[in-house]
Amino acid sequence: DAIALAPGGLETALAALPGLIAETLERSGIPGVAVAVVHGGETVFARGFGLRELGKPEPVDIDTVFQVASLSKPLSGTIAAVEVSAGILAWDDPAVRYLPSLRLSDDYVTANATIGDFFAHRSGLPMAVGDELEDLGYDRDQIIERLRLVPLDDFRTSYHYANFGITIGAEAVAAASGLEWEELAEKSLFTPLDMDDTSFRNADFMARPNRAILHILEDGRFAPLYARDPDPQAPGGGASSSVADLAEWLKLLLAGGRHGDTQLISEPALAAMLRPQGFSGPSPAPDMRSSFYGFGFNTGVQANGRTFMGHSGAFVLGASTNMMMLPSADIAIVVLTNGGPVGVPETITTQFMDIVQFGRTTRDWYEFIRPRMVAYYNPIGDLAGATPPAQPAPTRSLEDYVGDYDSAYFGPARIERSGNGLSLVLGPDNVVLPMTHWNGDTFAVSPRNENAPFGSRSSLTFEVGNDGVARFTLDYLNELGLATWER
């Protein structure tokens, strides 16, 4: 049996919540946050704090729409569960049944990977695969098509968190339903729950007059420097919503899939979605607990014996979100912010649930979580932080490098003259990376995007053959060995 909740824990937690939020905002510098708590089928707390955008007076309220990043994943899992409940498909249906053009690098996995496998991150796709293609401007179909070239890890016994794995699962659900994903989300979940401010379309987010602006952490301060269009990975990270809307979603989950007089999600479909389907963090020792992932949800058992479900979301370019649900106490909380990941939403939800369960916070959660989150800002690339050679070997004539190159995975690239130097041009968005000579046939580039934080610097190394410059390799994209372009 689970340990009893602290007497009056919910009431104590609700009374403490405004102060906890204000303190965490002050410590972090994040501009704005919105929070909602549901219990007993009611929204028992909903408030906005701070500003939608630094330097402007408009406040955050409960209807302010935020980009929720990976909080999209449990929303997508819920939509899939509605379709499973309606008999349109099953969690164990092979995705290729509905996506006949789907190809992965292993024929067996292509034929057998189920919708559930993709929603549970157990297909063998590498962590974050496809995100690098999104950064270059490839759309959803183009990215999924290129995943056939990616080497897979062990099927169903490995776990790798991948936005485009979830996206494949969601696309299969949409195809089975005969609708585009964005339309299916509205039909199956958002409209029945009157979630009028929720969408998987970036254009809908941009059209909201009451929307929160992204703020990135750079040089220790938050600033509204970037925008983020996550449409390619929409089921995995592209939803936008308000806490007023998300409270209705949490009520549905806590009510066992029932909304009013309608059983939107069957008990078997809901149970499968919310129970462990894969190890997201196998315990390193017998006296430690493992962590698990369901179909779009983190799930597990706390030290007091109570099951919980939750999920975080983050854009390094300026968003962080979290939800936590404690079914045995009929309580859930959701926190949306317009600042990049530093642990704010996780601190608020964990402190709140601590008080609900134990009558007090068990530690300084912000101090514990923040160092783990700021690792997202670590620069990438083999030359990040490196000192250029004092006496570099000379480059050959710059004209020798100029020309068109191609990669099966990353597509065409162009090396072109730019002033007195060279630039690399990549992808459908024609991303331009100025090149600085480093040593011999090696140049340095400094990418800057969602997956390449400030300070990133990578080598671009040319290989010379008998007929001159033959190819180049770009280190920061080469984790899977796919970032070599042939002339």
Side-chain angles (χ1 to χ4, degrees):
D1 293 338
I3 296 174
L5 298 174
L10 175 59
E11 293 75 17
T12 303
L14 289 172
L17 190 52
L20 294 175
I21 295 167
E23 177 188 6
T24 307
L25 280 182
E26 183 176 357
R27 292 176 74 179
S28 68
I30 274 185
V33 61
V35 181
V37 179
V38 301
H39 173 66
E42 302 291 335
T43 301
V44 296
F45 182 96
R47 281 184 59 182
F49 299 77
L51 302 174
R52 296 184 224 161
E53 182 176 0
L54 282 175
K56 296 186 178 180
E58 290 80 13
V60 171
D61 59 37
I62 65 171
D63 295 313
T64 299
V65 177
F66 292 77
Q67 291 178 285
V68 305
S70 283
L71 205 54
S72 305
K73 291 179 175 68
L75 278 172
S76 295
T78 305
I79 293 160
V82 172
E83 298 303 292
V84 169
S85 303
I88 304 299
L89 65 142
W91 290 118
D92 291 336
D93 286 349
V96 74
R97 178 180 302 175
Y98 307 109
L99 300 175
S101 64
L102 177 65
R103 293 291 180 274
L104 300 177
S105 61
D106 185 292
D107 290 342
Y108 179 85
V109 178
T110 298
N112 290 279
T114 65
I115 290 169
D117 289 328
F118 287 108
F119 269 97
H121 300 301
R122 63 189 187 201
S123 68
L125 284 170
M127 180 176 176
V129 69
D131 291 2
E132 70 280 50
L133 296 175
E134 183 184 20
D135 290 336
L136 300 178
Y138 288 97
D139 65 26
R140 191 180 310 171
D141 290 341
Q142 291 171 322
I143 293 169
I144 292 174
E145 191 272 334
R146 280 169 165 75
L147 296 183
R148 75 191 192 282
L149 301 170
V150 172
L152 300 178
D153 203 346
D154 295 335
F155 183 41
R156 291 185 181 150
T157 59
S158 64
Y159 171 92
H160 298 296
Y161 187 88
N163 291 313
F164 283 95
I166 292 276
T167 300
I168 289 172
E171 284 290 288
V173 173
S177 305
L179 296 171
E180 295 295 321
W181 173 255
E182 293 77 6
E183 297 170 336
L184 176 63
E186 293 171 358
K187 174 182 176 290
S188 67
L189 188 66
F190 303 156
T191 297
L193 269 57
D194 295 321
M195 297 171 65
D196 296 333
D197 291 327
T198 306
S199 174
F200 278 99
R201 298 184 185 90
N202 188 62
D204 291 342
F205 169 73
M206 295 301 295
R208 311 280 188 202
N210 183 3
R211 72 178 186 275
I213 304 302
L214 300 181
H215 293 75
I216 190 171
L217 181 67
E218 287 195 356
D219 296 326
R221 300 177 61 123
F222 284 100
L225 302 180
Y226 300 96
R228 174 86 163 90
D229 179 356
D231 275 351
Q233 59 165 272
S240 58
S241 189
S242 67
V243 293
D245 274 11
L246 292 176
E248 300 307 308
W249 166 58
L250 295 177
K251 292 173 191 175
L252 173 73
L253 298 178
L254 288 174
R258 178 172 290 275
H259 177 66
D261 296 329
T262 304
Q263 190 75 35
L264 277 180
I265 306 175
S266 69
E267 291 183 7
L270 184 74
M273 178 176 69
L274 296 179
R275 68 174 172 247
Q277 297 289 346
F279 283 97
S280 56
S283 64
D287 60 348
M288 299 178 67
R289 284 173 290 140
S290 296
S291 54
F292 305 95
Y293 204 85
F295 292 145
F297 288 77
N298 290 301
T299 184
V301 180
Q302 295 188 338
N304 62 1
R306 294 182 181 272
T307 58
F308 74 95
M309 297 86 201
H311 214 287
S312 286
F315 289 156
V316 169
L317 296 183
S320 53
T321 62
N322 184 260
M323 62 79 68
M324 189 179 294
M325 184 167 70
L326 203 64
S328 62
D330 192 23
I331 296 171
I333 180 172
V334 59
V335 179
L336 308 179
T337 84
N338 59 354
V342 293
V344 166
E346 294 84 3
T347 294
I348 294 169
T349 59
T350 307
Q351 284 183 320
F352 175 80
M353 287 298 192
D354 262 4
I355 298 173
V356 167
Q357 297 175 90
F358 312 117
R360 62 181 179 84
T361 56
T362 57
R363 67 180 357 166
D364 184 339
W365 284 107
Y366 184 70
E367 182 179 354
F368 177 77
I369 296 171
R370 189 181 191 279
R372 291 156 174 79
M373 290 296 179
V374 297
Y376 282 110
Y377 300 94
N378 291 341
I380 65 169
D382 57 329
L383 300 183
T387 301
Q391 295 181 321
T395 179
R396 62 189 63 239
S397 168
L398 296 185
E399 293 298 332
D400 290 351
Y401 305 110
V402 170
D404 294 324
Y405 299 75
D406 195 44
S407 156
Y409 185 68
F410 287 101
R414 187 170 68 256
I415 304 292
E416 60 184 25
R417 290 301 302 264
S418 178
N420 294 324
L422 298 172
S423 287
L424 169 65
V425 183
L426 289 173
D429 281 353
N430 290 316
V431 175
V432 178
L433 296 176
M435 299 163 53
T436 302
H437 183 242
W438 189 265
N439 190 33
D441 291 316
T442 296
F443 293 75
V445 297
S446 298
R448 186 70 185 91
N449 54 55
E450 172 67 23
N451 298 291
F454 179 78
S456 296
R457 185 163 59 177
S458 167
S459 65
L460 186 162
T461 301
F462 291 94
E463 183 179 337
V464 179
N466 294 332
D467 297 325
V469 174
R471 61 189 61 85
F472 70 84
T473 298
L474 190 54
D475 174 81
Y476 89 96
L477 293 176
N478 201 38
E479 185 173 353
L480 299 176
L482 299 173
T484 294
W485 281 258
E486 298 286 340
R487 192 158 198 166

